[in-house]
Amino acid sequence: MEELLINLVDSGKSLPEGCQDLLGKGTTNNSDIDGGTGLDEKTESNNRKVESIERKDHAHDSTSLAPSQSKKTSVETFRNSNSVSVEPAHGPVYSYFGGSSGVYFLAKFLGEDNSTVVPVTDDDVMISDRTSHFDQCASGQPILWRFPDKEIVDRLVNIYFERMNTLLPVIDEDEFKANYQKDMDSIWPPLLAAMCRAGSRLLEEDDSMLKKHNIGRNDLFHMFSKQIESNKTRVDILSPKIEFVQFLILLGNSTEKWGFNTQEWVVISMAAKMAQELGLHRASTGRRLSPRQAEQYRRLWWSAYSMDRWVSTAMGRPLSISDADCDVDFPAAEDGGHNYSFLVAITKLACILGDISRVLYSPRARTLWGENTKDADQICANFQRKLEEWRFSLPPHLRIYPDDEEQLRIGQLPAELEQRVNSGAGHLLAAYYSTMILLKQRSHDIDQSFLATEASRATYFSAENIIYVLGALRPNTVLVFSSVTTSFALFQSVGIILVGLTDPNAELVSKSKELIQKFKIICSRFSAYLPQVR
C-alpha cells in the first residue's frame, strides 16, 4: 500500500486518476464468489471451455490393468480411458483484495461510482482484474486430463461424498452431483481428479469394482497423483477461484505418505490465502449471496481454517489465519438434509488449538513467559476449562463417554460404539487428547515421573487414550479427515510413551511397553493404506 501511494505521488496525476491507472480499469464481478462447487456452468463458457476428446469403454478395453501387470501397463490403461481437454481460460477473473485501512482510504477518493471498487461501506472490498493460467501449458496448449472408466469415477465420487465430505465438506454435494450426473465433462477436471484421488484411498483392497476392472487401489491413487503433481504448479495464486481453494484443501488432506511434509502446510496455507482473497472470511461476503450459497462458503472457509490449524500445529509452523481478521459465523450443523456437526465441532476445537499454539508455543510467547509460571498456569487452566466445555457440548453421535473409553481400553466394542467411533467420534476424541497433550506437556519435568504432578499424569493419560482410540479406528476411516492430523496425534502420543519407558515407576514402564506394542500394530494396519513412510 505504501508503494502504491508513493508511485501515485511520483506520477504527478490527481489522486482518483492516478489510482485508476495504477489499479487498472475493470468492472466488479462476483463470478469467483458465485462459482460454488468448482463447476463450469454453460453460462461461464467464456472463462473455460471443457471439451470431451474421447470416451472409451474401459471394461472392454484390451489394455485393462491386471494385478500382475507392470506400472507401465497401468499408465497405458489410464491413457486409453476417458480424456478431457481443458483449453486456456479467456476473459477477466476478479480477485478480492481485503479490507485494510488503505483500501478504505482509496475507496473514499475514488468514489462510489468508480468501477474498481464496490460501494463504500464499513466492509469495503477492492476488486482487481486478473487472469488464470492453471489450465494452460507453458506452450499455450490445453492440458489433457485422463480419467478411467466412468464406472470407476462414479464409485470414487460416491465414496468421497459418503466418507470424506461428511467430515470435511469442501464441496456442496447436491449441486455437484446434479451437474455431474447431467454432464461429467462440466466438472473442472483438476477438482474431479483430486476427489477421485482422495476417494481411492478409502476403498477396501477387495472392493468389487476394483476386482471387476482388475485394478488396484494404490494404482488408482498414483495415476491421479501423477497427473496432479505435473499440473498443480500451474495454479495462479493471484487469480483465486472457489475451485482452486477446494482443490488445494483436497491435496493437503490426501497425503501420499505417512508422517509430516512441508508440502501439506504450503498447500493448505495457499488454500487459506485464496479463501481470504475471495472474502470467505468476511461476513459481508455472505450478505451478497443467497442463504444457501453463503452457507456453502462458510463450510468451505471453516474447512480451510481447521486444516490450517491442525497442519500448522503438527508441522510446528506459523498459523496462516489470524482470528482477528475473521468475522464470519460458524456453519450450520444441519443444512439441506445434510449433517455438518463434525465440521462445527472440529472447527471449535481448532480455535482452541490455535490459541494454545499461539499463546504458549510461539517464539514470542516463550520469551514472554520465561519464569512467569503463575500467569502461564492461569492461562492453561482457562484453556483446560474451554476444552472440557467443548467436549461436554458435543452431540451424542460424536461423543465418547467414560464407559465407552473403558470399552476402548479393553478392545471389545459393541457394534453401535464401533460405528460411532468410525463416524467421527473417534477422530474428535483423538484430536481432543492431542490438544490436551499440547496444553499439559509443557509443565512436565522429564526428570520426574509422569505420576508426579497433575499435568504430567494428564499428559500420559492423554497419550495412552490416543493409542486406544486409534487402535479402534478402521485404517481407511483414519484418512477421511486428515492423515497429517492423525500422524500428529499418533507420534505425539508415542513420544510421551517412549519417555515413559524411562520412568522411575516400574508399573508405568510396563504399561509403556504394552502401549508401544499396540503402536506397532496400528502402524502395521495403516501401512496398507499409507505404504510409504517419510
Side-chain angles (χ1 to χ4, degrees), residues 292-321:
R292 173 181 169 79
Q293 202 166 49
E295 194 60 42
Q296 292 176 21
Y297 295 138
R298 275 194 286 270
R299 292 195 293 269
L300 180 58
W301 165 253
W302 288 114
S303 294
Y305 177 97
S306 297
M307 288 295 294
D308 169 68
R309 269 5 190 200
W310 290 104
V311 173
S312 297
T313 302
M315 298 295 301
R317 300 289 194 271
L319 305 175
S320 300
I321 300 170

Side-chain angles (χ1 to χ4, degrees), residues 28-250:
T28 56
N29 188 317
N30 289 335
S31 62
D32 290 342
I33 292 293
D34 295 339
T37 58
L39 309 177
D40 295 325
E41 300 292 337
K42 301 297 184 182
T43 57
E44 297 177 347
S45 59
N46 63 320
N47 290 333
R48 185 179 295 106
K49 190 191 304 178
V50 180
E51 179 182 0
S52 177
I53 302 299
E54 63 177 351
R55 189 174 301 283
K56 298 184 178 181
D57 186 355
H58 182 73
H60 297 88
D61 194 326
S62 60
T63 61
S64 187
L65 177 66
S68 60
Q69 289 177 291
S70 65
K71 291 184 178 180
K72 181 179 179 181
T73 306
S74 302
V75 175
E76 290 301 319
T77 302
F78 211 50
R79 288 175 178 169
N80 290 327
S81 301
N82 304 326
S83 302
V84 176
S85 176
V86 181
E87 295 187 2
H90 300 287
V93 177
Y94 299 94
S95 7
Y96 177 96
F97 266 29
S100 70
S101 58
V103 173
Y104 298 150
F105 172 77
L106 291 178
K108 295 291 185 182
F109 279 90
L110 288 172
E112 297 185 12
D113 296 330
N114 190 279
S115 60
T116 61
V117 180
V118 300
V120 179
T121 67
D122 289 338
D123 295 307
D124 288 337
V125 295
M126 184 183 293
I127 304 295
S128 176
D129 183 3
R130 305 244 181 226
T131 54
S132 171
H133 306 288
F134 179 85
D135 298 322
Q136 183 175 357
C137 297
S139 63
Q141 298 299 315
I143 297 172
L144 191 64
W145 291 84
R146 296 178 174 87
F147 293 88
D149 184 83
K150 190 173 185 298
E151 183 182 16
I152 298 177
V153 178
D154 289 346
R155 178 80 172 97
L156 296 177
V157 167
N158 286 334
I159 197 171
Y160 165 79
F161 280 113
E162 291 170 3
R163 303 282 293 281
M164 182 173 286
N165 206 66
T166 55
L167 302 190
L168 195 70
V170 174
I171 300 171
D172 184 78
E173 180 176 357
D174 295 335
E175 188 173 347
F176 181 94
K177 285 187 173 179
N179 286 274
Y180 177 81
Q181 291 168 2
K182 182 167 63 174
D183 182 11
M184 171 179 159
D185 293 341
S186 69
I187 308 300
W188 189 50
L191 181 61
L192 182 58
M195 294 171 63
C196 290
R197 178 179 183 262
S200 66
R201 270 290 189 244
L202 307 180
L203 293 169
E204 300 288 351
E205 193 58 56
D206 60 351
D207 187 273
S208 59
M209 183 271 295
L210 295 178
K211 290 183 177 180
K212 176 180 178 180
H213 293 276
N214 294 318
I215 192 169
R217 176 187 61 217
N218 288 331
D219 293 320
L220 280 175
F221 182 86
H222 291 302
M223 286 175 183
F224 289 112
S225 295
K226 185 175 181 181
Q227 289 195 91
I228 291 172
E229 186 65 30
S230 62
N231 294 325
K232 71 181 181 182
T233 56
R234 300 185 179 111
V235 177
D236 179 5
I237 62 173
L238 293 181
S239 58
K241 298 179 75 67
I242 289 295
E243 57 263 39
F244 287 2
V245 180
Q246 296 166 324
F247 172 74
L248 289 170
I249 292 177
L250 290 182

